Amino acid sequence: MSAGDLSLQPPADGISSVSFSPDSTKLLVSSWDSTIQIHDLSGPTQPPQILSHPAAVLTATFGSSSSVAFSGGLDKRVRQWDLQSGQCKVLGKHDNAVSSLVWCPESNVLISGSWDSTIKVWDPSAENPLKSSHTVPERVYNLSYAPTTSTLLVSMAHRHVWIYNVPALAAAVEGQPLKADQERESALKFLTRSVATMVDGKGWASGSIEGRISVEYFGKDAEAQAQKYAFRAHRQTVDGVDQVYPINALAYHPIHNTFASGGSDGFISIWDHTAKKRMKLYPKYPTAISALAFSPDGTKLAIGASYEHDNAVVEGERGRTLLLIKDTVMEDCKPKAKA
């Protein structure tokens, strides 16, 4: 584990997501312990604000300010939170678990993805918050939003990847299906575990359960397709045997457009997708990396290290749950000047 990582009070169970407020002063943490935590990073470390849910929380994100948050999970509800009062408003529900949420400030909409094979678009300020529902071919595992190109990436089971224009989604009305801009298949042969869109909005990285990362581009032309590539990561040779670890978390640095990957091997790497090389490998953490997020100002990396609820490990052998902040990332993520 890296020296100098700031340790915060972790949840009682696995960390499913971490997210920074727009001003980088607060950290939102969702957990399998049926809570979200809000950590204030603007002063000395203090215990977090904790808000309870009826079931495990799989995803949480801030709205356009540090006082509004949204969450979703196994109870199927999409919730809006006033963090100053702690009051909760249920915007609506899915027919299965809410797996991913993204806030799109340019369009003032929240988009939710679910295991019920739909994405839903919400206007939290409206009397009837649900703007539209859109059926997709499989369970939604991850959403990622690229503001610079107003692009939404929807990553699903069975390697389906659909790409939407967010202003078109925001303008859609209930009952009028909107066709995705692109319907793709992941370049990875095995289940996609994590995705993150590039800061320049030109493409995305995805990580699989089989320890591979692919880099792909949104363009429909042959040149964009020719640029995509995949490589091995988060693998180790143990006693002559190639051990493969799921890549649970990916995050792009908001200024340098390089990205971090975290795996079940307990390692975090920093990659330059343009130069096609690893820039940094941090010392091993004591358990799987389950969630990563860079602060919008680029100075911090939030790290959730915890048991991943994807294999049957008895409770006493799941290892520690750690919530950490790394503050060396502005320099660590800066691409090296070309010789």
Side-chain angles (χ1 to χ4, degrees):
M1 195 163 79
S2 299
D5 286 358
L6 173 67
S7 182
L8 302 176
Q9 179 182 315
D13 202 347
I15 296 168
S16 54
S17 76
V18 288
S19 174
F20 280 93
S21 60
D23 62 4
S24 302
T25 64
K26 291 185 178 179
L27 180 69
L28 180 62
V29 182
S30 65
S31 173
W32 286 84
D33 72 356
S34 305
T35 71
I36 57 171
Q37 294 185 346
I38 303 91
H39 293 262
D40 189 339
L41 307 177
S42 61
T45 303
Q46 53 191 323
Q49 178 184 6
I50 299 175
L51 300 171
S52 296
H53 292 62
V57 189
L58 303 183
T59 177
T61 188
F62 280 97
S64 289
S65 78
S66 60
S67 60
V68 177
F70 303 97
S71 61
L74 294 187
D75 77 330
K76 311 174 189 176
R77 268 71 179 169
V78 176
R79 287 180 160 77
Q80 177 182 359
W81 297 89
D82 179 333
L83 300 181
Q84 292 178 326
S85 67
Q87 287 188 312
C88 171
K89 173 185 175 185
V90 175
L91 298 181
K93 66 186 286 289
H94 279 268
D95 292 333
N96 206 326
V98 179
S99 54
S100 192
L101 293 168
V102 293
W103 173 250
C104 307
E106 294 76 15
S107 299
N108 279 313
V109 295
L110 178 75
I111 302 175
S112 59
S114 169
W115 296 349
D116 67 5
S117 303
T118 68
I119 58 170
K120 295 192 176 189
V121 183
W122 310 87
D123 176 0
S125 64
E127 190 175 339
N128 179 14
L130 181 62
K131 286 176 71 76
S132 59
S133 305
H134 308 274
T135 300
V136 294
E138 263 295 346
R139 298 181 301 282
V140 177
Y141 288 155
N142 291 287
L143 302 176
S144 188
Y145 173 52
T148 48
T149 51
S150 299
T151 305
L152 178 75
L153 182 78
V154 183
S155 174
M156 296 167 261
H158 299 295
R159 301 169 54 226
H160 290 284
V161 178
W162 281 20
I163 297 158
Y164 285 92
N165 173 265
V166 169
L169 266 179
V173 295
E174 186 69 353
Q176 294 184 358
L178 178 71
K179 185 173 171 56
D181 280 13
Q182 295 181 51
E183 300 177 9
R184 305 258 286 257
E185 189 176 78
S186 171
L188 299 170
K189 294 179 181 177
F190 291 85
L191 175 72
T192 303
R193 191 58 184 271
S194 50
V195 297
T197 46
M198 297 173 188
V199 174
D200 61 12
K202 293 180 179 178
W204 75 96
S206 52
S208 76
I209 59 168
E210 184 244 353
R212 286 176 73 85
I213 295 173
S214 73
V215 175
E216 302 183 58
Y217 293 85
F218 289 131
K220 301 177 185 179
D221 57 9
E223 183 183 354
Q225 295 306 304
Q227 285 182 290
K228 70 181 180 183
Y229 66 95
F231 59 95
R232 293 182 177 187
H234 298 277
R235 294 179 173 213
Q236 298 173 32
T237 301
V238 181
D239 298 329
V241 178
D242 188 23
Q243 298 280 349
V244 177
Y245 299 91
I247 297 166
N248 305 316
L250 295 171
Y252 264 91
H253 191 273
I255 293 164
H256 298 312
N257 202 31
T258 52
F259 71 92
S261 67
S264 287
D265 56 355
F267 283 104
I268 297 172
S269 291
I270 306 294
W271 307 89
D272 182 342
H273 71 262
T274 304
K276 299 184 179 180
K277 66 179 183 180
R278 178 161 59 192
M279 301 166 58
K280 186 87 176 176
L281 175 65
Y282 293 114
K284 183 180 170 71
Y285 289 84
T287 188
I289 305 301
S290 56
L292 295 171
F294 285 105
S295 59
D297 65 8
T299 63
K300 304 179 190 73
L301 175 66
I303 302 165
S306 64
Y307 166 74
E308 282 290 280
H309 284 251
D310 58 354
N311 46 34
V313 177
V314 295
E315 195 163 339
E317 298 175 9
R318 292 179 182 178
R320 297 161 61 196
T321 298
L322 299 172
L323 180 62
L324 305 161
I325 300 286
K326 184 180 290 295
D327 63 5
T328 61
V329 292
M330 187 66 91
E331 191 59 35
D332 294 344
C333 295
K334 186 177 182 179
K336 305 298 181 280
K338 292 183 174 66

